[in-house]
Amino acid sequence: MSFRLRNLAGIAGACLLAALSFAPAQAQEKFTSLTVGADPHFRPISFVNESGDIVGFDVDFANALGKHLGIPVKYEGMAWDGIIPALQARKIDAITNMVITEERQQIVNFSDPIMQQSIIAVVKSESDKKPVTLNDLKNLRTGVMVSTAAAALLAKAESVEPVTYNTVVDAYNDLMLGRLDVVVVESVNGSFIASHQFKDKLHIVEKPLSDDVKLNGIALRKDDVEGLRQINDAIADMKADGSLQAIAVKWFGNASSIPQ
């Protein structure tokens, strides 16, 4: 082969390699099964019942999601502060109920919203029935669970230095023991705890601490592109056939927490 032909062949090969390097990556495959991670101590989203089984809104939602997708679902409890690392390490495939924030969107993809809630204050029933504002928390012993939307709100509040807990259960226990004046938490959990687990002992402050409504979605790895489309289609079907609303009514008493 002449030098000119060899040169042309080299140029053609280089062009082919360049074209391949800039070609779009192959789309991710759809999920054929789902391993889901969750905090097992966050009633009524997910918690361990007297039989030792994890139950709650999120468990029912994950199972219904699997039925709509036509795939099996495995549900695992794990520490909330390590749940995103577990997702990234592929120990789980999804976190089926997580508050959507700008910070989290930098490292995971979120599905369309499946829940909406606000951040509220929970106090003991014998406390004065008066509003509690973010500014009031400067002078109150405040507890909050780490790595939550409630914790993120308090982190931005001036001069508020809360006691942090790995589980919200520990925060409520310290509130009952008089070690705290208030627990700041997402409304779905706070409302359930005050009306069920600590009925007549705790109550929620009616006005939320912020006007900002928090939206929850399913967190997935950034590279699960096709899986995200697959899950969003299933969420749309669940809203359309009423199955998502029915799960909310079962656990919350109404479907007001389900976004349209």
Side-chain angles (χ1 to χ4, degrees):
M1 181 183 293
S2 69
F3 172 78
R4 183 171 181 272
L5 289 175
R6 287 198 302 271
N7 193 34
L8 288 173
I11 293 172
C15 290
L16 178 60
L17 288 173
L20 289 173
S21 65
F22 285 101
Q26 185 175 1
Q28 297 295 310
E29 295 182 357
K30 292 183 177 181
F31 290 116
T32 56
S33 66
L34 273 180
T35 300
V36 175
D39 175 9
H41 304 291
F42 202 77
R43 296 172 181 260
I45 303 302
S46 51
F47 60 98
V48 180
N49 66 10
E50 294 178 354
S51 301
D53 300 319
I54 301 180
V55 298
F57 171 92
D58 192 40
V59 181
D60 287 355
F61 169 73
N63 288 329
L65 179 70
K67 290 180 180 179
H68 279 75
L69 293 171
I71 61 176
V73 172
K74 181 181 180 182
Y75 202 91
E76 295 186 356
M78 58 182 56
W80 187 251
D81 57 354
I83 202 163
I84 288 182
L87 176 66
Q88 294 173 318
R90 298 185 180 275
K91 294 179 180 179
I92 57 175
D93 300 309
I95 306 164
T96 41
N97 200 319
M98 175 171 269
V99 175
I100 302 168
T101 67
E102 292 183 0
E103 292 80 8
R104 287 170 175 166
Q105 286 176 317
Q106 301 301 312
I107 53 178
V108 299
N109 279 338
F110 279 100
S111 70
D112 294 334
I114 63 167
M115 181 184 291
Q116 58 189 16
Q117 54 185 327
S118 55
I119 307 301
I120 62 171
V122 179
V123 297
K124 295 181 74 171
S125 293
E126 60 263 30
S127 301
D128 293 336
K129 301 294 193 300
K130 62 181 182 180
V132 175
T133 66
L134 277 177
N135 189 59
D136 294 330
L137 298 180
K138 297 176 183 179
N139 303 312
L140 296 175
R141 296 170 298 171
T142 303
V144 71
M145 180 177 164
V146 298
S147 303
T148 60
L153 175 66
L154 295 189
K156 297 176 182 178
E158 185 178 353
S159 301
V160 177
E161 298 181 0
V163 180
T164 57
Y165 297 84
N166 288 328
T167 73
V168 74
V169 174
D170 291 334
Y172 286 127
N173 286 337
D174 273 0
L175 178 62
M176 291 299 302
L177 291 171
R179 296 170 181 164
L180 296 175
D181 299 311
V182 59
V183 170
V184 175
V185 70
E186 287 77 8
S187 57
V188 167
N189 173 263
S191 298
F192 182 86
I193 293 297
S195 62
H196 290 77
Q197 192 171 358
F198 290 106
K199 187 176 182 180
D200 300 325
K201 295 180 180 179
L202 298 177
H203 84 269
I204 62 171
V205 176
E206 185 174 347
K207 183 175 174 58
L209 290 170
S210 170
D211 293 331
D212 185 22
V213 174
K214 305 297 181 182
L215 297 174
N216 291 33
I218 301 173
L220 301 170
R221 289 181 290 270
K222 284 286 189 180
D223 58 359
D224 284 324
V225 178
E226 286 302 317
L228 179 61
R229 294 193 185 99
Q230 178 188 12
I231 282 177
N232 278 337
D233 287 345
I235 291 172
D237 290 342
M238 293 176 70
K239 289 180 179 179
D241 66 18
S243 55
L244 181 53
Q245 292 87 336
I247 297 170
V249 170
K250 173 184 174 180
W251 288 102
F252 310 144
N254 59 69
S256 62
S257 61
I258 304 303
Q260 298 299 316

